């Protein structure tokens, strides 16, 4: 090799790339703290203000619509006064059925955690199998497509009959509701693993377990997390409905109980709790998915 | 014949429904240890299929592939492959991509520290140690291909298979990588088989250029021995008489005798 050729070969990172991609990596970004404080505040305001204004507008419309005496539903001010203890203190505990909504949400979340946890494990494993094998796909996919359309509550009587107890039945309903999107998405993700990655695994002679953890799960992760996100939404839908029927402690049963004793304001507060919790669950899985799949999306 | 790698009367046909497409017909080729062989032909002639057969990623329909007199029928790290589109795993860093291969191949034979040194040594060989903690999305196309090459070399393969390794790169980057491959071949003496559709690349790098006829049922048309002294320097060769002749004979084969008629 001549001296020149050697020099060129030694400096690939600077000479090689005329498009300047590598240069971008080395240029430090301007630090956020360098921006003026006012500018940062205004950018936060741009995001926070619109939803605040819209919420206020909707509350005013609600107040105007149901504020009159003798209306069928309580107005926001009425809810605030009647259900004040539920709103300001989520975690009070005055005895068996007289507890804050935070406790009830946590009880429901515990059921969701167990049911959805099983659904995630079973869904990912079965999805991997179905995505991997053409015959499993042909045999099982039609069955899954039928089963997944069954509404959550339709499973409840059968699971009550099988488990003879309300708590495992509720958990089973969550499981059977949320397992399908996880399974079907995982299968789609596994089917879409590029042939290149399969070839790499084949050349390296990865065994099935190594292949599952090193190639399949990371490659299908974006699909898997889409399934998990749909699944957790569905399980939160299912738990409220299931608890209304099975009773015990839980946010769903609280609504049913409040309805039976005509505490409409309590129901409205509970709806807000359910909504915010569902939103938080969805965001949680989304953020987790972004964190886990941060390297997978671009190649 | 006691070649290192022996492709023995290999045929390959694909069956879809009741339509049988014969891709390769009766290919025989012997490659010696340390030899650099290029396979050139028009697109669709089955040269990638031939490489996949040697890699064991595709099964032969007839005949056999032998490496050191042992039949090849499945993929393995002793026939490492550099893929056209790098095939790095995007969720792993450069270092981890090579580590996956090194850990798999040398798990029982080398200690953790030895494996680390070996990974760094191979990254250094392709001048990529500076980017070891970057993910594939953060480095350029040429760098990805270097890492793919490091990953393949790190397996200490008996034979290195390169499937149009520089096809997706711009001309300048390609020239640098060709020089790197020549340098590595000179230093390590690997046996290499490369698929290419670039005449200059084939003549510059190879000891022999295998020219394939057009498919279907492609055969080996001609084999050109390239007797140019190594190390070869592209600038000096441009004016070299025999280099020009070699180049011309490949071009004549491709464009006069076996012109590509169908639309690609």
């Amino acid at each position: 090799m001549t001296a020149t050729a050697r020099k060129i070969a030694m400096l690939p990172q600077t000479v090689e790339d005329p498009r300047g991609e590598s240069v971008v990596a080395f240029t430090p970004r301007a630090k956020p703290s360098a921006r003026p404080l006012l500018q940062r505040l205004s950018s936060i305001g741009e995001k926070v203000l619109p939803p605040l204004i819209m919420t206020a507008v909707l509350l005013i419309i609600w107040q105007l619509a149901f504020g009159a005496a003798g209306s069928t539903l309580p107005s926001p001010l009425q809810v605030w006064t009647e259900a004040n203890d539920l709103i300001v203190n989520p975690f009070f505990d005055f005895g068996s059925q007289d507890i804050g909504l935070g406790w009830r949400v946590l009880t429901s979340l515990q059921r969701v955690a167990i049911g959805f946890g099983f659904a995630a494990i079973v869904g990912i494993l079965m999805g991997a199998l179905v995505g991997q094998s053409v015959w499993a796909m042909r045999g099982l996919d039609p069955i899954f497509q039928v089963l997944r359309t069954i509404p959550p509550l339709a499973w409840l009587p059968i699971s009550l009959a099988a488990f003879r107890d309300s708590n495992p039945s509720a958990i089973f309903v969550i499981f059977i509701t949320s397992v399908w999107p996880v399974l079907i998405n995982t299968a789609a993700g596994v089917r879409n693993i590029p042939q290149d990655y399969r070839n790499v695994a084949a050349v390296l002679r990865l065994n099935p377990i190594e292949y599952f953890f090193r190639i399949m799960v990371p490659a299908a992760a974006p699909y898997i997390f889409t399934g998990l996100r749909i699944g957790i939404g569905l399980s939160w839908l299912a738990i409220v409905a299931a608890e209304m029927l099975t009773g015990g402690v839980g946010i769903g049963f609280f609504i049913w109980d409040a309805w039976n004793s005509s505490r409409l304001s309590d129901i409205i507060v509970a709806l807000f709790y359910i909504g915010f919790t569902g939103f938080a669950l969805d965001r949680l899985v989304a953020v987790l998915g972004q964190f886990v799949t941060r390297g997978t999306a671009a190649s | 014949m006691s070649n290192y790698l022996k492709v023995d009367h290999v045929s390959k046909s694909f069956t879809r429904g009741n339509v049988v497409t014969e891709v390769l017909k009766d290919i025989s080729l012997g490659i010696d240890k340390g030899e650099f062989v290029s396979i050139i032909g028009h697109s669709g002639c089955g040269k990638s299929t031939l490489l996949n057969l040697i890699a064991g990623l595709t099964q032969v329909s007839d005949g056999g592939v032998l490496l050191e007199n042992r039949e090849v029928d499945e993929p393995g790290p002793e026939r490492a492959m550099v893929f056209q589109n790098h095939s790095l795993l995007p969720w792993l860093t450069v270092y981890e991509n090579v580590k996956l291969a090194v850990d798999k191949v040398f798990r029982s034979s080398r200690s953790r520290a030895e494996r680390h040194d070996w990974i760094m040594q191979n990254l250094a060989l392709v001048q990529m140690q500076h980017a070891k903690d970057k993910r594939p999305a953060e480095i350029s196309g040429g760098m990805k291909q270097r890492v793919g090459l490091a990953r393949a070399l790190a397996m200490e393969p008996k034979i290195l298979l390169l499937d149009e390794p520089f096809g997706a790169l711009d001309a300048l980057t390609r020239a640098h990588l060709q020089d790197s491959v020549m340098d590595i071949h000179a230093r390590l003496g690997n046996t290499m088989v490369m698929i290419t559709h670039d005449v200059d690349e084939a003549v510059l790098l190879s000891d022999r250029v295998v020219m394939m006829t057009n498919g279907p049922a492609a055969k080996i048309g001609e084999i050109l021995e390239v007797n140019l002294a190594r190390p070869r320097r592209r600038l000096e060769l441009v004016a070299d008489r025999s280099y020009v002749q070699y180049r011309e004979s490949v071009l004549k084969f491709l464009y006069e005798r076996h012109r590509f008629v169908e639309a690609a």
Side-chain angles (χ1 to χ4, degrees):
Chain A
M1 221 184 224
T2 61
T4 336
R6 190 182 309 265
K7 206 167 158 191
I8 291 169
M10 297 276 278
L11 297 167
Q13 66 276 37
T14 45
V15 191
E16 167 184 271
D17 194 353
R19 290 157 297 182
E21 280 174 12
S22 60
V23 179
V24 176
F26 295 123
T27 315
R29 284 222 197 109
K31 283 182 194 163
S33 60
R35 287 162 63 196
L37 188 68
L38 201 68
Q39 203 183 334
R40 268 201 292 168
L41 279 178
S42 81
S43 79
I44 294 171
E46 275 166 24
K47 282 191 188 131
V48 175
L49 274 182
L52 280 181
I53 293 169
M54 283 317 293
T55 312
V57 168
L58 288 173
L59 283 173
I60 290 167
I61 294 173
W62 178 10
Q63 178 68 35
L64 290 177
F66 294 104
S71 57
T72 51
L73 293 179
S75 68
L77 287 175
Q78 211 181 329
V79 171
W80 176 256
T81 47
E82 282 181 13
N84 193 265
D85 55 339
L86 293 177
I87 299 170
V88 296
N89 188 0
F91 291 105
F92 65 80
D93 189 351
F94 299 138
S96 65
Q97 276 298 338
D98 193 8
I99 57 174
L101 287 183
W103 294 116
R104 292 179 186 275
V105 166
L106 283 180
T107 316
S108 301
L109 279 177
Q110 200 184 344
R111 294 194 182 111
V112 167
I114 300 170
F116 180 69
F118 276 119
I121 294 167
V122 173
I124 290 172
L125 290 177
M126 288 289 287
L129 177 74
V130 172
Q132 195 65 332
S133 149
V134 179
W135 282 103
M137 175 75 197
R138 284 185 195 154
L140 292 170
D141 192 59
I143 300 172
F144 293 156
Q145 296 296 346
V146 171
L147 286 178
R148 78 184 173 91
T149 62
I150 298 174
L153 284 190
W155 291 101
L156 191 60
I158 269 196
S159 57
L160 279 170
F163 293 105
R164 299 185 182 280
D165 189 8
S166 63
N167 202 35
S169 304
I171 290 171
F172 175 77
V173 168
I174 293 165
F175 167 78
I176 205 77
T177 309
S178 54
V179 75
W180 309 117
V182 179
L183 199 161
I184 290 166
N185 275 283
T186 305
V190 169
R191 262 202 310 283
N192 283 320
I193 294 176
Q195 186 60 41
D196 298 333
Y197 302 166
R198 296 179 195 274
N199 286 347
V200 169
V203 168
L204 287 175
R205 288 210 187 116
L206 297 183
N207 63 40
I209 294 168
E210 288 169 328
Y211 181 72
F212 180 78
F213 285 110
R214 306 305 298 266
I215 310 278
M216 199 189 275
V217 170
Y223 288 85
I224 294 174
F225 272 95
T226 306
L228 289 176
R229 209 171 153 188
I230 300 170
I232 196 123
L234 285 180
S235 49
W236 191 237
L237 294 182
I239 186 63
V240 173
E243 282 175 351
M244 289 175 88
L245 296 181
T246 57
V249 180
I251 193 76
F253 178 69
F254 175 81
I255 291 182
W256 194 244
D257 194 37
W259 163 245
N260 282 331
S261 39
S262 302
R263 287 180 278 124
L264 288 180
S265 298
D266 290 7
I267 296 180
I268 289 170
V269 176
L271 292 187
F272 278 101
Y273 272 89
I274 292 170
F276 282 119
T277 312
F279 176 74
L281 285 178
D282 182 65
R283 291 310 306 160
L284 182 73
V285 177
V287 167
L288 194 67
Q290 270 169 17
F291 177 72
V292 172
T293 61
R294 64 199 182 285
T296 322
S299 60
Chain B
M1 202 159 76
S2 62
N3 287 118
Y4 194 57
L5 177 85
K6 199 164 150 189
V7 179
D8 192 15
H9 299 284
V10 160
S11 297
K12 176 68 191 174
S13 50
F14 290 103
T15 314
R16 173 164 284 175
N18 47 11
V19 185
V20 179
T21 321
E22 197 168 29
V23 182
L24 297 171
K25 191 175 170 141
D26 203 24
I27 304 270
S28 285
L29 178 67
I31 294 171
D32 290 326
K33 195 170 183 175
E35 201 176 9
F36 195 117
V37 173
S38 291
I39 301 170
I40 196 166
H42 291 289
S43 63
C45 76
K47 51 191 194 297
S48 283
T49 307
L50 179 56
L51 201 73
N52 282 340
L53 291 173
I54 298 173
L57 291 168
T58 316
Q59 300 294 313
V60 294
S61 305
D62 203 8
V65 177
L66 294 135
L67 180 64
E68 286 188 315
N69 293 318
R70 282 175 49 192
E71 174 137 33
V72 165
D73 54 359
E74 57 170 2
E78 80 281 359
R79 279 159 287 123
M81 191 142 170
V82 179
F83 299 91
Q84 178 172 11
N85 51 351
H86 67 79
S87 293
L88 298 178
L89 304 176
W91 52 90
L92 299 178
T93 63
V94 163
Y95 179 85
E96 288 164 343
N97 265 289
V98 182
K99 185 174 188 285
L100 180 68
V102 170
D103 281 355
K104 182 65 192 169
V105 178
F106 301 110
R107 183 176 298 156
S108 50
S109 57
R110 293 184 192 184
S111 74
R112 184 181 290 267
E114 281 172 335
R115 292 200 302 262
H116 169 79
D117 289 343
W118 180 238
I119 296 165
M120 292 314 291
Q121 203 177 316
N122 277 282
L123 285 175
L125 200 62
V126 295
Q127 292 124 9
M128 283 303 295
Q129 41 323 24
H130 64 93
K132 76 180 180 69
D133 294 323
K134 290 213 167 100
R135 285 172 195 278
E138 298 167 322
I139 58 179
S140 72
M143 292 184 185
K144 284 179 210 168
Q145 213 51 271
R146 283 177 189 276
V147 178
L149 185 61
R151 177 174 65 182
L153 288 168
M155 298 178 208
E156 274 192 344
K158 290 177 178 163
I159 184 159
L160 187 64
L161 307 172
L162 306 124
D163 185 5
E164 288 188 32
F166 318 125
L169 305 176
D170 62 273
L172 291 173
T173 311
R174 189 186 304 181
H176 287 304
L177 273 168
Q178 286 165 353
D179 290 341
S180 293
V181 167
M182 274 197 286
D183 185 35
I184 288 164
H185 183 237
R187 265 200 264 174
L188 306 180
N190 310 60
T191 313
M192 300 195 189
V193 179
M194 181 177 73
I195 299 285
T196 183
H197 50 228
D198 181 329
V199 177
D200 290 291
E201 183 171 284
V203 176
L204 180 69
L205 297 183
S206 317
D207 298 312
R208 276 190 298 159
V209 180
V210 175
M211 292 172 262
M212 307 255 310
T213 64
N214 285 331
K219 300 189 291 282
I220 293 179
E222 263 176 52
I223 297 180
L224 176 78
E225 297 256 354
V226 182
N227 292 315
L228 293 170
R230 290 181 188 271
R232 298 171 184 171
R233 297 181 191 94
R234 66 178 68 243
L235 284 177
E236 293 168 19
L237 285 177
V238 171
D240 187 288
R241 281 261 309 282
S242 46
Y243 176 81
V244 174
Q245 274 168 4
Y246 288 133
R247 210 174 156 274
E248 197 183 321
S249 60
V250 178
L251 284 170
K252 274 189 174 158
F253 176 88
L254 289 175
Y255 297 103
E256 266 179 22
R257 274 167 288 165
H258 295 277
R259 273 187 69 175
F260 192 53
V261 272
E262 289 171 89

